[in-house]
Amino acid sequence: MSNKNHHSSDQKDELARGLKSRHVTMIALGGAIGAGIFQGSSSSIELAGPGVIISYLLAGIILYFVMQAMAEMAVQQPKAKTLRDLIETILGPFAGFFAGWIYFISWMLVMAAEMAAAAGFLKYWFPDVPMWLLSLGVSILITVINLFAVGIFGETEYWLAALKITVLTLFIILGGVLIFTGIGGGSAAGFSNLTEHGGFLPFGISGIAASMLVVMFSFGGTEMIGMTLGETENPEKVIPRAARSVIVRILIFYVLPILIIVSLMPWNMVGAESPFVSVFDRIGIPYVGGFMNFVLLTAVISAANTGMYAASRLLYTQALSGNAPSFFSKLSAKKVPVRALLASTSFLYIGVIIAVFAEEKTFGYLMVVPGYAILSIWILLTVAHLKSRKKGEELRGFYVKSYPYSSWFSLVALLAILAGILITSPPAGTIIAFGVAVLLVILYAGGAKK
């Protein structure tokens, strides 16, 4: 693919470095701690029983190694603007082209799903308002937030993520009280539910393997740290720190809540309702349905907000490298890639229409694509890290001390999980994902010949 449209790195063409360390950490958490933990945790528990705790720990270790690898590459490549730049520099133009577009497409689909979910949660309070109008309102809100300077986006995401973390902290404290002491004269729940009802691993190792697919998807979004490289103050210090702190927080805010849920409730009693609603209900918090509906609404808005940021920056960097029309590389006076942002927004509204009017199965098939995309990005980051070091090269600043073992472990584990998705995903969804990949290869080949 030609780089003839590559822009000079004059200061006027650069993104503004308006994101602080606390913004970057919360952006990554905002992408990862979403409806997946509040609503989707019931799916992983049903697949593995109490043993799902092992799934979250294993996924956390894989994620930690991938994030460390990405942080090292970011420090060694100070001119990189997004994670696709890290991949392209080491693995070549096609890898950068593929990573950029597959990640862009996946965020488009995720945002459409989040808009449909947001409309569903708003229906709780506005039952007579049409779904499309509710989706439209949220879409406009997200567009406006992203059109301002990047610091406004960072601040918005910071507080949305802070709300989710506050709810999880409250849940951990109250859940811990129930487990160890009980509430209102009731006896302590203890940990008997972990071994009763079929044991700790009711479905054996195969249950752990099946749940890994769901768990890995729920961790997707953490790699958003790599999307902030061009807009972060002192990225060589902030990115490694954010990579380390994010994994600790994710383990705390995923593993501990799941441990509390499977301790307080028999795993086979976890149903379609959010386990958090069930537990808060048991504690006796009033209006728990409305409260959790509000939390879920902010969670999906936060995830869609993060997605809009990722999609617009990807389109912008694709334009800079000649993989998209140079029209999308224009920055506003506030150093926001406004054309790339508005183009991403237009896809969002198309996605809203698909999400609201398409049959549930059709949209479910489309949502398989983000699963493959996230794994593809993590695999490419791991392979890039394995190839990044040259013999005798002096590494500056932060570097991974467990290289290459941690990256090899991650690569093998991710390939095994990918094989599991191929076996268990709906065939129609896999065919769509494969079709998208083939189309990208054809587009790249066509562009390279010009």
Side-chain angles (χ1 to χ4, degrees):
M1 181 66 65
S2 165
N3 280 347
K4 62 178 181 276
N5 292 331
H6 194 89
H7 281 218
S8 65
S9 4
D10 294 338
Q11 199 63 31
K12 62 185 170 63
D13 289 333
E14 290 292 319
L15 293 164
R17 293 195 178 274
L19 293 177
K20 302 182 187 305
S21 177
R22 65 188 181 90
H23 293 149
V24 175
T25 301
M26 285 299 201
I27 285 166
L29 281 167
I33 300 176
I37 178 69
F38 291 114
Q39 196 78 14
S41 49
S42 57
S43 303
S44 56
I45 292 168
E46 283 173 3
L47 288 166
V52 76
I53 297 162
I54 295 172
S55 307
Y56 280 99
L57 282 170
L58 183 56
I61 292 166
I62 295 167
L63 182 61
Y64 176 71
F65 289 152
V66 174
M67 292 302 104
Q68 292 281 289
M70 185 171 71
E72 180 190 296
M73 290 188 289
V75 169
Q76 307 310 315
Q77 297 180 43
K79 291 184 179 177
K81 292 179 176 64
T82 63
L83 56 79
R84 71 162 293 288
D85 297 334
L86 301 178
I87 292 168
E88 182 173 291
T89 305
I90 297 163
L91 299 182
F94 174 70
F97 174 88
F98 185 85
W101 283 120
I102 199 74
Y103 203 48
F104 177 83
I105 291 165
S106 79
W107 275 115
M108 289 293 100
L109 290 169
V110 168
M111 281 194 293
E114 304 290 9
M115 285 304 93
F121 293 131
L122 282 168
K123 271 279 187 188
Y124 184 89
W125 295 293
F126 307 105
D128 300 326
V129 180
M131 285 276 282
W132 69 267
L133 194 56
L134 294 170
S135 293
L136 184 65
V138 179
S139 300
I140 291 169
L141 173 68
I142 290 168
T143 304
V144 170
I145 289 169
N146 279 271
L147 279 171
F148 287 113
V150 70
I152 303 293
F153 159 77
E155 204 62 33
T156 304
E157 196 52 41
Y158 177 85
W159 290 108
L160 285 172
L163 173 67
K164 292 184 283 190
I165 288 168
T166 301
V167 172
L168 283 170
T169 304
L170 180 67
F171 181 80
I172 290 166
I173 293 167
L174 292 174
V177 170
L178 274 177
I179 288 170
F180 292 108
T181 64
I183 284 180
S187 58
F191 296 99
S192 59
N193 278 325
L194 294 179
T195 51
E196 293 175 1
H197 317 289
F200 185 69
L201 294 173
F203 303 108
I205 299 299
S206 61
I208 299 288
S211 68
M212 280 299 293
L213 311 181
V214 179
V215 171
M216 292 298 287
F217 295 160
S218 66
F219 278 175
T222 316
E223 70 291 330
M224 273 296 300
I225 295 172
M227 295 307 303
T228 66
L229 298 178
E231 294 172 279
T232 303
E233 294 177 357
N234 304 317
E236 65 283 349
K237 291 181 181 175
V238 169
I239 301 300
R241 194 187 309 141
R244 282 193 296 267
S245 66
V246 162
I247 190 59
V248 171
R249 294 182 196 198
I250 280 184
L251 288 174
I252 291 170
F253 295 122
Y254 266 95
V255 175
L256 278 181
I258 295 296
L259 173 61
I260 287 167
I261 289 166
V262 292
S263 298
L264 292 178
M265 298 174 65
W267 69 269
N268 51 3
M269 298 287 286
V270 175
E273 183 183 50
S274 166
F276 286 82
V277 172
S278 304
V279 173
F280 275 132
D281 216 8
R282 178 174 166 180
I283 293 167
I285 290 180
Y287 310 111
V288 68
F291 172 68
M292 282 309 298
N293 196 71
F294 174 70
V295 172
L296 284 163
L297 175 63
T298 58
V300 298
I301 289 175
S302 167
N305 193 34
T306 303
M308 177 58 70
Y309 173 85
S312 59
R313 269 53 177 186
L314 279 166
L315 191 53
Y316 166 72
T317 53
Q318 288 285 61
L320 283 181
S321 62
N323 291 335
S326 59
F327 173 82
F328 295 119
S329 63
K330 174 78 173 173
L331 294 176
S332 71
K334 295 184 184 298
K335 304 296 184 187
V336 172
V338 66
R339 292 177 179 175
L341 178 66
L342 292 173
S344 303
T345 304
S346 67
F347 282 99
L348 174 60
Y349 295 124
I350 293 165
V352 168
I353 294 164
I354 295 170
V356 174
F357 295 106
E359 287 182 26
E360 198 174 316
K361 276 190 176 179
T362 307
F363 200 67
Y365 296 151
L366 287 171
M367 285 309 296
V368 174
V369 177
Y372 283 111
I374 293 295
L375 276 176
S376 299
I377 294 293
W378 288 15
I379 288 168
L380 285 169
L381 284 170
T382 307
V383 172
H385 185 233
L386 287 167
K387 288 192 69 177
S388 65
R389 295 199 190 180
K390 299 176 181 68
K391 271 191 177 177
E393 182 188 24
E394 288 267 340
L395 293 176
R396 63 189 195 89
F398 174 82
Y399 64 94
V400 178
K401 295 177 176 63
S402 55
Y403 176 91
Y405 309 107
S406 54
S407 287
W408 274 116
F409 170 81
S410 301
L411 182 59
V412 171
L414 289 168
L415 289 172
I417 292 165
L418 182 61
I421 298 177
L422 285 168
I423 294 164
T424 58
S425 285
T430 299
I431 290 165
I432 291 168
F434 183 73
V436 169
V438 169
L439 179 63
L440 288 176
V441 173
I442 292 168
L443 288 172
Y444 179 83
K449 286 174 187 173
K450 288 179 183 176

